[in-house]
């Protein structure tokens, strides 16, 4: 899906602002996918593009988190080998299930499903396979996707470490980094305006590491405020859309 760079960046800020202010944490992404699809006359493709983007980011985040938690001391260090094996086994099972479903679905469709449902399912599988082949796993695409996702993880982690220092944490970065990675995974869970699981997991992680639950909560609050402030350009994008002002971020050229 081709979009002007300025429009895409503005849409991302709008999506981020909606994600951190509305319940669920994904409303902005759904809105972004719908708008991209409407602008390109293919809503299904727009929604799939955003879904693949979020999924790729989550996969990279999980891989980075597992690798670092295996190497660094943390409250969950002893359990990490088992957790890593479980994640690998789950990924393998999902891959096998997809292959088996594709083989069974092509030769013996379920009797209770209507022809319309079978047709819709087949189109969805075909679109997903095409997206994987032509976008995510394309030779020129996946390195950039992995690098961009890793940079996003690094940016969120650095923001959390700054929040921890601002809240009064004096522990070395080698001790705070694993806690930040654990909290970033929790932040991906369903939430209310970005709040909820993140604060609970931060309090638990800091308490388990001997830093105190109160410091964990304070760090999570500071982090939440920093993320909210960083997303405020998205509010400007929403206002501009209501005023029918062309949405482009200054200094970002379209391509």
């Amino acid at each position: 899906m081709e979009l002007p760079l300025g429009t895409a960046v503005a849409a991302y800020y709008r999506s981020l602002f909606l994600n951190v202010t509305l319940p669920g944490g994904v409303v902005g992404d759904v809105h972004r996918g719908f708008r991209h699809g409407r602008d390109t006359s293919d809503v299904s493709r727009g929604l799939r593009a955003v879904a693949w983007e979020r999924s790729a980011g989550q996969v990279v985040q999980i891989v980075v988190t597992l690798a670092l938690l295996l190497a660094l001391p943390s409250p969950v260090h002893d359990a990490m080998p088992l957790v890593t094996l479980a994640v690998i086994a789950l990924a393998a099972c999902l891959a096998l299930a997809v292959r088996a479903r594709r083989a069974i679905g092509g030769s013996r469709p379920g009797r209770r499903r209507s022809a319309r449902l079978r047709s819709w399912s087949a189109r969805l599988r075909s679109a997903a396979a095409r997206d994987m082949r032509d976008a995510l796993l394309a030779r020129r695409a996946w390195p950039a996707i992995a690098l961009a996702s890793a940079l996003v993880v690094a940016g969120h982690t650095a923001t959390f470490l700054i929040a921890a220092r601002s809240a009064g944490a004096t522990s070395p970065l080698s001790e705070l980094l694993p806690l930040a990675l654990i909290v970033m995974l929790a932040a991906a869970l369903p939430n209310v305006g970005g709040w909820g699981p993140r604060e609970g997991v931060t309090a638990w992680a800091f308490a388990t590491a001997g830093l105190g639950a109160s410091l964990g909560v304070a760090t999570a609050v500071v982090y939440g405020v920093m993320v909210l402030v960083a997303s405020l350009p998205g509010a400007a994008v929403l206002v501009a859309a209501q005023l029918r002002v062309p949405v482009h971020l200054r200094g970002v050229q379209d391509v």
Side-chain angles (χ1 to χ4, degrees), residues 54-229:
R54 285 294 300 264
S55 299
Q58 291 296 321
V59 169
V60 171
Q61 181 180 5
I62 290 173
V63 171
V64 171
T65 300
L66 289 177
L68 291 178
L69 290 182
L70 280 170
L72 298 174
S74 72
V76 297
H77 184 267
D78 292 340
M80 288 313 301
L82 183 60
V83 171
T84 303
L85 290 176
V87 171
I88 294 174
L90 178 60
C93 289
L94 288 175
L96 291 174
V98 170
R99 292 179 63 88
R101 177 66 184 83
R102 188 177 302 172
I104 296 174
S107 60
R108 189 175 57 188
R111 297 179 179 179
R112 296 182 180 180
R113 294 187 304 172
S114 66
R116 180 180 299 179
L117 180 58
R118 292 198 300 270
S119 176
W120 178 84
S121 178
R123 290 198 302 269
L124 182 61
R125 292 197 304 270
S126 177
R130 186 171 58 252
D131 291 342
M132 290 285 290
R133 182 183 64 252
D134 298 337
L136 288 180
L137 300 181
R139 181 175 301 178
R140 292 185 299 178
W142 72 261
I145 293 173
L147 177 60
S149 299
L151 290 175
V152 171
V153 174
H156 283 294
T157 303
T159 303
F160 184 88
L161 293 175
I162 294 173
R165 286 284 188 251
S166 301
T170 58
S171 301
L173 292 180
S174 59
E175 184 176 351
L176 293 175
L177 178 58
L179 304 182
L181 294 171
I182 295 172
V183 172
M184 291 302 100
L185 283 182
L189 298 174
N191 54 72
V192 179
W195 304 88
R198 181 181 63 206
E199 285 65 39
V201 171
T202 307
W204 167 82
F206 273 61
T208 306
L211 303 180
S214 60
L215 179 59
V217 173
T219 298
V221 171
V222 173
Y223 175 81
V225 172
M226 292 175 66
V227 171
L228 177 61
V229 171

Side-chain angles (χ1 to χ4, degrees), residues 36-52:
H36 287 343
R38 191 180 65 178
D39 292 343
T40 58
S41 301
D42 192 342
V43 174
S44 175
R45 188 180 182 190
L47 291 172
R48 294 200 316 271
V50 174
W52 284 122

